[in-house]
Amino acid sequence: MDRTGRGVAVLLVHGFPFDRTMWRSQLRTLGRCERIAPDLRGLGQSDLGIRPVTMASYADDLARILDLCEIQTAVICGLSMGGYVAFEFMRRHRERARGLVLMDSRAEAEPPEGRLARDEMARVAEREGMRPICERLVPRLLAERTVRTRAKPLEHLRKMVLSAPVRGVAAALQAMRDRADARAWLGTIDVPTLVIVGAEDRITPIEAAANVAESIPGAGLAIVPGAGHIPPMERPELTNRLLADFVSRVS
Ligand code: MLT
């Protein structure tokens, strides 16, 4: 886990199949708040522990991390799978959330074809390791501009995906496959919320993110130009500005 800075706590929850280092720019330069970036169970440097892993168990882990850090409330900021975890966190630990930032995330449960694709990806990872997953996934994650002009995020992304622990990846795939449909409880979210999405996100199109924003009372929507699925890595300065404005509003 990385923990740095002072002020309102912001819990940064990574996507799949990434780890806490995807928040490097936020850890380094997002000012006037305390940033806490854990590795989700089984990913990065976190042990897998008991299985099955579910969105609920990831969410309970986050609450335990806040306990360990002696933090009562935090802004919960999740990207994609991190957003699925954030929905569960809101359901189970609402009193610990001071605000919610959902990046490039959607609220629907996995459709039947998606469930099959998750199982297939887990089989490939277990049989052949992360390289074929990396080749398949990474080109779809970034905006064209990022691929053309920014070698660093691409390299970092490839490294993260290639080094992701296979057992943790398989567990995360199962958790995403079985995740609940969060649409039913979006209307009950009553903390300040910001939805962010990359203008060129091919995994979570703008409409999916906009649906989330429309369903949460008072939520804002910010579209990040020149970013695909991972605005905090692709457009870190702009993403940090959005986050800093949001955090100053909930302080
Ligand atoms: C992520 O970035 O966490 C994934 O794209 C989520 C997903 O595959 O649904």
Side-chain angles (χ1 to χ4, degrees):
M1 177 178 87
D2 288 321
R3 184 180 182 192
T4 186
R6 275 164 182 267
V8 171
V10 181
L11 190 53
L12 299 163
V13 190
H14 64 78
F16 170 88
F18 314 138
D19 58 48
R20 70 188 192 288
T21 67
M22 65 153 281
W23 302 109
R24 200 174 272 165
S25 299
Q26 288 64 47
L27 288 163
R28 278 191 191 142
T29 55
L30 181 62
R32 289 196 226 143
C33 57
E34 179 173 6
R35 287 87 73 198
I36 302 143
D39 285 326
L40 290 174
R41 180 180 285 270
L43 296 166
Q45 292 176 341
S46 283
D47 289 339
L48 181 55
I50 44 153
R51 291 178 76 174
V53 172
T54 61
M55 290 303 153
S57 61
Y58 284 141
D60 291 350
D61 287 344
L62 295 183
R64 265 191 295 274
I65 286 166
L66 291 182
D67 290 343
L68 283 174
C69 295
E70 297 185 353
I71 290 171
Q72 192 45 44
T73 62
V75 171
I76 311 300
C77 170
L79 180 127
S80 201
M81 181 176 83
Y84 311 155
V85 179
F87 291 135
E88 263 317 316
F89 188 94
M90 292 307 296
R91 211 153 67 122
R92 301 167 73 82
H93 305 285
R94 151 72 189 84
E95 71 290 353
R96 312 294 298 270
R98 180 175 196 140
L100 180 63
V101 181
L102 299 161
M103 290 191 191
D104 302 78
S105 201
R106 59 171 71 240
E108 304 88 51
E110 195 69 57
E113 66 280 9
R115 291 176 60 85
L116 292 176
R118 302 285 191 198
D119 288 342
E120 172 57 16
M121 191 184 279
R123 273 194 296 273
V124 171
E126 274 160 352
R127 214 170 43 220
E128 300 169 47
M130 289 306 288
R131 189 161 294 279
I133 311 291
C134 181
E135 302 310 330
R136 202 181 299 174
L137 205 59
V138 169
R140 300 184 60 225
L141 293 174
L142 302 174
E144 204 204 311
R145 172 188 186 273
T146 314
V147 176
R148 228 177 340 100
T149 62
R150 308 199 60 210
K152 265 196 187 159
L154 181 58
E155 220 15 71
H156 181 182
L157 197 56
R158 284 181 57 80
K159 222 165 130 195
M160 262 193 306
V161 176
L162 284 173
S163 63
V166 166
R167 288 177 66 233
V169 165
L173 282 163
Q174 196 176 350
M176 289 194 289
R177 181 194 68 191
D178 296 340
R179 73 183 188 274
D181 192 324
R183 285 175 296 183
W185 71 84
L186 291 183
T188 68
I189 293 177
D190 60 355
V191 296
T193 300
L194 175 64
V195 175
I196 296 177
V197 64
E200 295 176 45
D201 190 339
R202 282 178 277 176
I203 313 271
T204 311
I206 292 176
E207 306 78 69
N211 287 342
V212 172
E214 272 160 28
S215 308
I216 300 177
L221 173 67
I223 298 171
V224 180
H229 191 55
I230 319 185
M233 290 176 70
E234 298 179 76
R235 299 294 312 270
E237 300 82 11
L238 182 48
T239 305
N240 284 356
R241 228 175 300 140
L242 291 168
L243 285 173
D245 282 355
F246 180 78
V247 170
S248 72
R249 277 191 279 124
V250 300
S251 302

